[in-house]
Amino acid sequence: MRPVPDTDPMPAADQAAALRAALLDWYDREGRTLPWRVRPEDRAAGRVADPYAVWLSEIMLQQTTVPHATPYWHRFLALWPTVHDLAAAPREQVMAEWAGLGYYARARNLHACAGVVSGELGGAFPGDLDGLRALPGIGDYTANAIRAAAFDRPASVVDGNVERVISRLFALETPLPKSKPQIRKLAAALADPQRPGDYAQAIMDLGATVCAPRSPDCGACPWSGPCAARASGDPVRFPLKEKKRPKPVRRGAVFALVRPGHGRHGEKGGADHVLSVTRPDGGLLGGMRALPGTDWTEDGPGEDARASAQPIDAQWDYRGAVRHVFTHFTLELDVWTAEAPGDIRPDEGEWLDAAAMSKAMPTLYRKALTLALA
DNA sequence: AATACGTGGGC
DNA sequence: TGCCCAAGTAT
């Protein structure tokens, strides 16, 4: 057997135990109180975690900040207090309530997952990794997070926070994502089998509040003593990352066909309605309410493409462009409006009250609709 | 293994 | 302004 190189950072058992103890002690004093979280003092008061509420928080928090996700979490729980309620809700309503949170596959999977848990599983989330991992929208991280936070069973959570904390603690010179397997091993070796739920939440809190990406507060860190990145004098250099490719620009056009508000007998007043469509599942913004429009291409739509994407033949008025930055490209979207003749019946789409429609749409289309109606 | 997939806030 | 970053998953 090849000898372990002396640069191998794997901590010895007693070192791991000391790290655990220091982190848990810090968490007991400084860990965050979050609405879905059951802290040690909560447990002492007899409060137990609701796996449904924990699952909901974990899905919402994927690649999403706590301040952004929190109001959505409250709203979902108020609307659908149990997994059965969520499963019974129309998917369209779930998508509308998710509007603005991003990564809309999460909402589609959320509803599908609720259906499985409510139906096949009788309302009970699995407590084992394989059972959790098999559910739609639950991957490696989320399965471990639910197992730890909802069931307080042994798990090892590795999210962006943990990757940063571990990379710094051991000053890993291998850049992400290549270092992920090593990070997983180190994180698993440190995880606390006695207080798995608290430990998992503690190491993520540490990354979120102390071991921050740009401005770590090493003076407040329970691991500053053993931290190799701190010892190096330049902790912010970690984790090293592969540089990413430039973001291309794509262009497209959308059409806001407006049916002016009118009363029951045709008098003025009442809310404007706008023609909306639902984007197909699977692609960008899949399953979400949208304005009709062209495809998005590098060169942008020509006049022919634009004309054929118009919901009706009408006097279309150019209102300007909105710019929207997605993860892997920037979109410049031309916005056109037209007033619909009273008797028009477009082939596709539905008329929605403009205000309600805006709330139910992804941010991109909210911007476009705002410009269209300005 | 690499890429698609949103959004908003910080600096 | 532009880039980085956030409790990742699916394919």
mmCIF file of all heavy atoms in Angstrom, chain A residues 17-51:
data_model
loop_
_atom_site.group_PDB
_atom_site.id
_atom_site.type_symbol
_atom_site.label_atom_id
_atom_site.label_comp_id
_atom_site.label_asym_id
_atom_site.label_seq_id
_atom_site.Cartn_x
_atom_site.Cartn_y
_atom_site.Cartn_z
ATOM 1 N N ALA A 17 -12.374 15.712 16.427
ATOM 2 C CA ALA A 17 -13.234 15.879 17.602
ATOM 3 C C ALA A 17 -13.123 17.294 18.149
ATOM 4 O O ALA A 17 -14.129 17.912 18.541
ATOM 5 C CB ALA A 17 -12.851 14.864 18.674
ATOM 6 N N ALA A 18 -11.910 17.842 18.148
ATOM 7 C CA ALA A 18 -11.728 19.202 18.650
ATOM 8 C C ALA A 18 -12.422 20.215 17.742
ATOM 9 O O ALA A 18 -13.021 21.191 18.215
ATOM 10 C CB ALA A 18 -10.236 19.522 18.757
ATOM 11 N N LEU A 19 -12.336 19.983 16.436
ATOM 12 C CA LEU A 19 -12.999 20.884 15.483
ATOM 13 C C LEU A 19 -14.516 20.858 15.692
ATOM 14 O O LEU A 19 -15.168 21.903 15.728
ATOM 15 C CB LEU A 19 -12.646 20.488 14.048
ATOM 16 C CG LEU A 19 -11.206 20.802 13.611
ATOM 17 C CD1 LEU A 19 -10.850 20.067 12.330
ATOM 18 C CD2 LEU A 19 -11.018 22.311 13.425
ATOM 19 N N ARG A 20 -15.071 19.670 15.804
ATOM 20 C CA ARG A 20 -16.505 19.528 16.047
ATOM 21 C C ARG A 20 -16.941 20.289 17.292
ATOM 22 O O ARG A 20 -17.924 21.027 17.279
ATOM 23 C CB ARG A 20 -16.854 18.067 16.307
ATOM 24 C CG ARG A 20 -17.107 17.255 15.093
ATOM 25 C CD ARG A 20 -17.318 15.794 15.515
ATOM 26 N NE ARG A 20 -16.801 14.993 14.435
ATOM 27 C CZ ARG A 20 -15.991 13.954 14.571
ATOM 28 N NH1 ARG A 20 -15.611 13.558 15.771
ATOM 29 N NH2 ARG A 20 -15.574 13.325 13.509
ATOM 30 N N ALA A 21 -16.196 20.066 18.353
ATOM 31 C CA ALA A 21 -16.576 20.677 19.628
ATOM 32 C C ALA A 21 -16.551 22.197 19.526
ATOM 33 O O ALA A 21 -17.458 22.888 20.009
ATOM 34 C CB ALA A 21 -15.638 20.196 20.742
ATOM 35 N N ALA A 22 -15.506 22.724 18.884
ATOM 36 C CA ALA A 22 -15.397 24.184 18.766
ATOM 37 C C ALA A 22 -16.533 24.747 17.914
ATOM 38 O O ALA A 22 -17.103 25.802 18.227
ATOM 39 C CB ALA A 22 -14.045 24.550 18.153
ATOM 40 N N LEU A 23 -16.865 24.049 16.826
ATOM 41 C CA LEU A 23 -17.922 24.544 15.940
ATOM 42 C C LEU A 23 -19.280 24.496 16.624
ATOM 43 O O LEU A 23 -20.066 25.454 16.535
ATOM 44 C CB LEU A 23 -17.950 23.730 14.644
ATOM 45 C CG LEU A 23 -18.997 24.189 13.622
ATOM 46 C CD1 LEU A 23 -18.731 25.621 13.164
ATOM 47 C CD2 LEU A 23 -19.034 23.248 12.413
ATOM 48 N N LEU A 24 -19.558 23.385 17.307
ATOM 49 C CA LEU A 24 -20.862 23.266 17.972
ATOM 50 C C LEU A 24 -21.000 24.282 19.103
ATOM 51 O O LEU A 24 -22.078 24.837 19.325
ATOM 52 C CB LEU A 24 -21.055 21.834 18.484
ATOM 53 C CG LEU A 24 -21.383 20.836 17.365
ATOM 54 C CD1 LEU A 24 -21.229 19.406 17.869
ATOM 55 C CD2 LEU A 24 -22.782 21.059 16.805
ATOM 56 N N ASP A 25 -19.903 24.534 19.782
ATOM 57 C CA ASP A 25 -19.930 25.542 20.852
ATOM 58 C C ASP A 25 -20.228 26.922 20.265
ATOM 59 O O ASP A 25 -21.024 27.696 20.811
ATOM 60 C CB ASP A 25 -18.582 25.542 21.575
ATOM 61 C CG ASP A 25 -18.565 26.545 22.714
ATOM 62 O OD1 ASP A 25 -19.389 26.381 23.636
ATOM 63 O OD2 ASP A 25 -17.755 27.501 22.675
ATOM 64 N N TRP A 26 -19.599 27.205 19.134
ATOM 65 C CA TRP A 26 -19.868 28.477 18.445
ATOM 66 C C TRP A 26 -21.331 28.550 18.009
ATOM 67 O O TRP A 26 -21.997 29.573 18.177
ATOM 68 C CB TRP A 26 -18.941 28.604 17.230
ATOM 69 C CG TRP A 26 -19.278 29.761 16.346
ATOM 70 C CD1 TRP A 26 -18.888 31.058 16.500
ATOM 71 C CD2 TRP A 26 -20.090 29.736 15.163
ATOM 72 N NE1 TRP A 26 -19.410 31.845 15.491
ATOM 73 C CE2 TRP A 26 -20.153 31.051 14.658
ATOM 74 C CE3 TRP A 26 -20.773 28.725 14.468
ATOM 75 C CZ2 TRP A 26 -20.872 31.385 13.502
ATOM 76 C CZ3 TRP A 26 -21.486 29.060 13.325
ATOM 77 C CH2 TRP A 26 -21.522 30.374 12.857
ATOM 78 N N TYR A 27 -21.828 27.439 17.447
ATOM 79 C CA TYR A 27 -23.219 27.419 16.954
ATOM 80 C C TYR A 27 -24.214 27.643 18.084
ATOM 81 O O TYR A 27 -25.199 28.364 17.920
ATOM 82 C CB TYR A 27 -23.484 26.076 16.276
ATOM 83 C CG TYR A 27 -24.892 25.926 15.734
ATOM 84 C CD1 TYR A 27 -25.284 26.593 14.578
ATOM 85 C CD2 TYR A 27 -25.829 25.102 16.368
ATOM 86 C CE1 TYR A 27 -26.565 26.451 14.055
ATOM 87 C CE2 TYR A 27 -27.112 24.957 15.853
ATOM 88 C CZ TYR A 27 -27.471 25.624 14.701
ATOM 89 O OH TYR A 27 -28.736 25.477 14.198
ATOM 90 N N ASP A 28 -23.949 27.047 19.225
ATOM 91 C CA ASP A 28 -24.859 27.225 20.364
ATOM 92 C C ASP A 28 -24.950 28.700 20.758
ATOM 93 O O ASP A 28 -25.999 29.170 21.193
ATOM 94 C CB ASP A 28 -24.384 26.391 21.561
ATOM 95 C CG ASP A 28 -24.573 24.895 21.311
ATOM 96 O OD1 ASP A 28 -25.365 24.537 20.425
ATOM 97 O OD2 ASP A 28 -23.912 24.090 22.001
ATOM 98 N N ARG A 29 -23.846 29.424 20.564
ATOM 99 C CA ARG A 29 -23.844 30.840 20.945
ATOM 100 C C ARG A 29 -24.224 31.759 19.796
ATOM 101 O O ARG A 29 -24.959 32.725 19.983
ATOM 102 C CB ARG A 29 -22.434 31.245 21.444
ATOM 103 C CG ARG A 29 -22.053 30.660 22.799
ATOM 104 C CD ARG A 29 -20.645 31.091 23.210
ATOM 105 N NE ARG A 29 -19.607 30.377 22.444
ATOM 106 C CZ ARG A 29 -18.867 30.936 21.499
ATOM 107 N NH1 ARG A 29 -19.018 32.208 21.216
ATOM 108 N NH2 ARG A 29 -17.969 30.226 20.857
ATOM 109 N N GLU A 30 -23.680 31.473 18.594
ATOM 110 C CA GLU A 30 -23.742 32.445 17.501
ATOM 111 C C GLU A 30 -24.530 31.988 16.278
ATOM 112 O O GLU A 30 -24.666 32.759 15.324
ATOM 113 C CB GLU A 30 -22.306 32.794 17.043
ATOM 114 C CG GLU A 30 -21.388 33.250 18.166
ATOM 115 C CD GLU A 30 -21.754 34.630 18.683
ATOM 116 O OE1 GLU A 30 -22.546 35.323 18.013
ATOM 117 O OE2 GLU A 30 -21.273 35.000 19.767
ATOM 118 N N GLY A 31 -25.001 30.745 16.264
ATOM 119 C CA GLY A 31 -25.728 30.262 15.102
ATOM 120 C C GLY A 31 -27.002 31.063 14.875
ATOM 121 O O GLY A 31 -27.568 31.613 15.814
ATOM 122 N N ARG A 32 -27.435 31.103 13.615
ATOM 123 C CA ARG A 32 -28.603 31.915 13.287
ATOM 124 C C ARG A 32 -29.903 31.241 13.727
ATOM 125 O O ARG A 32 -30.000 30.014 13.771
ATOM 126 C CB ARG A 32 -28.662 32.156 11.771
ATOM 127 C CG ARG A 32 -27.593 33.076 11.269
ATOM 128 C CD ARG A 32 -27.663 33.234 9.779
ATOM 129 N NE ARG A 32 -27.368 31.994 9.069
ATOM 130 C CZ ARG A 32 -27.342 31.898 7.739
ATOM 131 N NH1 ARG A 32 -27.615 32.943 6.991
ATOM 132 N NH2 ARG A 32 -27.055 30.757 7.170
ATOM 133 N N THR A 33 -30.853 32.079 14.031
ATOM 134 C CA THR A 33 -32.223 31.603 14.228
ATOM 135 C C THR A 33 -32.962 31.838 12.923
ATOM 136 O O THR A 33 -33.055 32.965 12.455
ATOM 137 C CB THR A 33 -32.899 32.385 15.367
ATOM 138 O OG1 THR A 33 -32.193 32.111 16.581
ATOM 139 C CG2 THR A 33 -34.352 31.965 15.521
ATOM 140 N N LEU A 34 -33.445 30.770 12.316
ATOM 141 C CA LEU A 34 -34.170 30.878 11.048
ATOM 142 C C LEU A 34 -35.524 30.205 11.229
ATOM 143 O O LEU A 34 -35.655 29.279 12.030
ATOM 144 C CB LEU A 34 -33.370 30.188 9.933
ATOM 145 C CG LEU A 34 -31.997 30.814 9.643
ATOM 146 C CD1 LEU A 34 -31.178 29.949 8.710
ATOM 147 C CD2 LEU A 34 -32.177 32.218 9.058
ATOM 148 N N PRO A 35 -36.531 30.686 10.498
ATOM 149 C CA PRO A 35 -37.900 30.234 10.787
ATOM 150 C C PRO A 35 -38.116 28.722 10.619
ATOM 151 O O PRO A 35 -38.993 28.162 11.262
ATOM 152 C CB PRO A 35 -38.755 31.038 9.798
ATOM 153 C CG PRO A 35 -37.832 31.673 8.837
ATOM 154 C CD PRO A 35 -36.495 31.757 9.496
ATOM 155 N N TRP A 36 -37.347 28.092 9.761
ATOM 156 C CA TRP A 36 -37.523 26.648 9.541
ATOM 157 C C TRP A 36 -36.574 25.826 10.406
ATOM 158 O O TRP A 36 -36.560 24.611 10.349
ATOM 159 C CB TRP A 36 -37.244 26.305 8.067
ATOM 160 C CG TRP A 36 -36.006 26.952 7.559
ATOM 161 C CD1 TRP A 36 -34.732 26.497 7.697
ATOM 162 C CD2 TRP A 36 -35.915 28.192 6.862
ATOM 163 N NE1 TRP A 36 -33.846 27.378 7.147
ATOM 164 C CE2 TRP A 36 -34.542 28.418 6.601
ATOM 165 C CE3 TRP A 36 -36.851 29.127 6.412
ATOM 166 C CZ2 TRP A 36 -34.097 29.561 5.926
ATOM 167 C CZ3 TRP A 36 -36.404 30.246 5.742
ATOM 168 C CH2 TRP A 36 -35.050 30.457 5.499
ATOM 169 N N ARG A 37 -35.782 26.509 11.190
ATOM 170 C CA ARG A 37 -34.730 25.806 11.925
ATOM 171 C C ARG A 37 -35.159 25.522 13.356
ATOM 172 O O ARG A 37 -35.734 26.367 14.031
ATOM 173 C CB ARG A 37 -33.465 26.664 11.930
ATOM 174 C CG ARG A 37 -32.348 26.101 12.774
ATOM 175 C CD ARG A 37 -31.106 26.939 12.681
ATOM 176 N NE ARG A 37 -30.446 26.804 11.389
ATOM 177 C CZ ARG A 37 -29.332 27.458 11.058
ATOM 178 N NH1 ARG A 37 -28.786 28.300 11.911
ATOM 179 N NH2 ARG A 37 -28.799 27.270 9.880
ATOM 180 N N VAL A 38 -34.822 24.308 13.831
ATOM 181 C CA VAL A 38 -35.025 23.965 15.235
ATOM 182 C C VAL A 38 -33.663 23.987 15.909
ATOM 183 O O VAL A 38 -32.796 23.159 15.645
ATOM 184 C CB VAL A 38 -35.680 22.570 15.373
ATOM 185 C CG1 VAL A 38 -35.766 22.179 16.836
ATOM 186 C CG2 VAL A 38 -37.065 22.578 14.737
ATOM 187 N N ARG A 39 -33.464 24.986 16.761
ATOM 188 C CA ARG A 39 -32.193 25.136 17.466
ATOM 189 C C ARG A 39 -32.203 24.310 18.762
ATOM 190 O O ARG A 39 -33.254 23.851 19.192
ATOM 191 C CB ARG A 39 -31.948 26.620 17.771
ATOM 192 C CG ARG A 39 -31.549 27.444 16.540
ATOM 193 C CD ARG A 39 -31.147 28.858 16.919
ATOM 194 N NE ARG A 39 -30.255 28.889 18.067
ATOM 195 C CZ ARG A 39 -28.924 28.673 18.005
ATOM 196 N NH1 ARG A 39 -28.358 28.434 16.839
ATOM 197 N NH2 ARG A 39 -28.202 28.708 19.095
ATOM 198 N N PRO A 40 -31.031 24.135 19.359
ATOM 199 C CA PRO A 40 -30.966 23.320 20.583
ATOM 200 C C PRO A 40 -31.965 23.777 21.643
ATOM 201 O O PRO A 40 -32.624 22.935 22.278
ATOM 202 C CB PRO A 40 -29.522 23.516 21.056
ATOM 203 C CG PRO A 40 -28.757 23.825 19.822
ATOM 204 C CD PRO A 40 -29.691 24.572 18.917
ATOM 205 N N GLU A 41 -32.085 25.093 21.849
ATOM 206 C CA GLU A 41 -33.015 25.573 22.876
ATOM 207 C C GLU A 41 -34.465 25.308 22.480
ATOM 208 O O GLU A 41 -35.333 25.153 23.345
ATOM 209 C CB GLU A 41 -32.794 27.073 23.162
ATOM 210 C CG GLU A 41 -32.967 27.988 21.973
ATOM 211 C CD GLU A 41 -31.651 28.227 21.226
ATOM 212 O OE1 GLU A 41 -30.763 27.348 21.270
ATOM 213 O OE2 GLU A 41 -31.529 29.291 20.586
ATOM 214 N N ASP A 42 -34.746 25.245 21.155
ATOM 215 C CA ASP A 42 -36.096 24.888 20.708
ATOM 216 C C ASP A 42 -36.416 23.440 21.065
ATOM 217 O O ASP A 42 -37.512 23.115 21.518
ATOM 218 C CB ASP A 42 -36.229 25.064 19.188
ATOM 219 C CG ASP A 42 -35.993 26.498 18.751
ATOM 220 O OD1 ASP A 42 -36.378 27.409 19.498
ATOM 221 O OD2 ASP A 42 -35.420 26.699 17.672
ATOM 222 N N ARG A 43 -35.422 22.582 20.843
ATOM 223 C CA ARG A 43 -35.619 21.166 21.171
ATOM 224 C C ARG A 43 -35.834 20.996 22.666
ATOM 225 O O ARG A 43 -36.682 20.217 23.095
ATOM 226 C CB ARG A 43 -34.407 20.344 20.726
ATOM 227 C CG ARG A 43 -34.447 19.941 19.271
ATOM 228 C CD ARG A 43 -33.466 18.806 18.989
ATOM 229 N NE ARG A 43 -32.110 19.151 19.391
ATOM 230 C CZ ARG A 43 -31.272 19.879 18.652
ATOM 231 N NH1 ARG A 43 -31.677 20.341 17.488
ATOM 232 N NH2 ARG A 43 -30.056 20.146 19.072
ATOM 233 N N ALA A 44 -35.082 21.775 23.437
ATOM 234 C CA ALA A 44 -35.225 21.710 24.894
ATOM 235 C C ALA A 44 -36.647 22.095 25.306
ATOM 236 O O ALA A 44 -37.168 21.609 26.315
ATOM 237 C CB ALA A 44 -34.209 22.625 25.577
ATOM 238 N N ALA A 45 -37.255 22.973 24.502
ATOM 239 C CA ALA A 45 -38.627 23.403 24.791
ATOM 240 C C ALA A 45 -39.652 22.463 24.184
ATOM 241 O O ALA A 45 -40.855 22.750 24.234
ATOM 242 C CB ALA A 45 -38.842 24.825 24.284
ATOM 243 N N GLY A 46 -39.177 21.369 23.587
ATOM 244 C CA GLY A 46 -40.093 20.363 23.077
ATOM 245 C C GLY A 46 -40.491 20.519 21.621
ATOM 246 O O GLY A 46 -41.310 19.766 21.118
ATOM 247 N N ARG A 47 -39.892 21.469 20.934
ATOM 248 C CA ARG A 47 -40.241 21.666 19.531
ATOM 249 C C ARG A 47 -39.489 20.669 18.658
ATOM 250 O O ARG A 47 -38.309 20.404 18.876
ATOM 251 C CB ARG A 47 -39.888 23.100 19.114
ATOM 252 C CG ARG A 47 -40.434 23.466 17.750
ATOM 253 C CD ARG A 47 -40.148 24.921 17.387
ATOM 254 N NE ARG A 47 -40.090 25.060 15.947
ATOM 255 C CZ ARG A 47 -39.240 25.841 15.293
ATOM 256 N NH1 ARG A 47 -38.381 26.580 15.972
ATOM 257 N NH2 ARG A 47 -39.260 25.892 13.985
ATOM 258 N N VAL A 48 -40.186 20.109 17.677
ATOM 259 C CA VAL A 48 -39.530 19.170 16.768
ATOM 260 C C VAL A 48 -39.642 19.690 15.340
ATOM 261 O O VAL A 48 -40.555 20.446 15.005
ATOM 262 C CB VAL A 48 -40.148 17.762 16.845
ATOM 263 C CG1 VAL A 48 -39.902 17.148 18.223
ATOM 264 C CG2 VAL A 48 -41.634 17.800 16.535
ATOM 265 N N ALA A 49 -38.707 19.269 14.498
ATOM 266 C CA ALA A 49 -38.692 19.734 13.106
ATOM 267 C C ALA A 49 -39.844 19.110 12.326
ATOM 268 O O ALA A 49 -40.214 17.963 12.550
ATOM 269 C CB ALA A 49 -37.364 19.377 12.460
ATOM 270 N N ASP A 50 -40.393 19.875 11.401
ATOM 271 C CA ASP A 50 -41.398 19.375 10.465
ATOM 272 C C ASP A 50 -40.682 19.093 9.145
ATOM 273 O O ASP A 50 -40.238 20.026 8.477
ATOM 274 C CB ASP A 50 -42.492 20.436 10.284
ATOM 275 C CG ASP A 50 -43.470 20.059 9.186
ATOM 276 O OD1 ASP A 50 -43.395 18.924 8.669
ATOM 277 O OD2 ASP A 50 -44.315 20.906 8.834
ATOM 278 N N PRO A 51 -40.551 17.806 8.790
ATOM 279 C CA PRO A 51 -39.793 17.474 7.570
ATOM 280 C C PRO A 51 -40.322 18.193 6.327
ATOM 281 O O PRO A 51 -39.536 18.573 5.458
ATOM 282 C CB PRO A 51 -39.971 15.959 7.450
ATOM 283 C CG PRO A 51 -40.197 15.503 8.855
ATOM 284 C CD PRO A 51 -40.965 16.607 9.530
#
